């Protein structure tokens, strides 16, 4: 579950909005994560934290991220 970690990242980066959009395509699930903001530096900082969180979650689940 990425809900709690993603909320913590959003709180740590108040200059950006982070959204997650789960999808089911009939045979698989995926989640699109979107980071929006006015300053590229703030977006990049949030992206680094989101990518680290996803890598951590994937390593615990034995899954891959794209």
């Amino acid at each position: 579950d990425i809900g709690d970690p993603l909320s913590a990242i959003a709180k740590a980066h108040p200059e950006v909005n982070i959204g997650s959009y789960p999808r089911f395509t009939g045979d698989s699930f995926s989640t699109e994560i979107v980071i929006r903001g006015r300053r590229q530096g703030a977006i990049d900082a949030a992206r680094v934290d989101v990518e680290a969180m996803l890598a951590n979650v994937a390593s615990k689940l034995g899954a891959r991220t794209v």
Side-chain angles (χ1 to χ4, degrees), residues 6-65:
L6 204 56
S7 291
I9 293 169
K11 287 180 184 178
H13 297 277
E15 289 186 59
V16 300
N17 293 312
I18 300 175
S20 62
Y21 305 94
R23 295 181 184 175
F24 179 66
T25 62
D27 59 349
S28 67
F29 291 94
S30 66
T31 301
E32 180 179 13
I33 297 174
V34 177
I35 303 169
R36 293 185 180 101
R38 293 188 182 271
R39 284 191 329 102
Q40 188 63 48
I43 294 167
D44 292 343
R47 178 186 50 81
V48 168
D49 286 353
V50 168
E51 288 175 347
M53 179 271 297
L54 290 174
N56 184 28
V57 169
S59 71
K60 291 178 182 178
L61 297 175
R64 66 179 184 91
T65 59

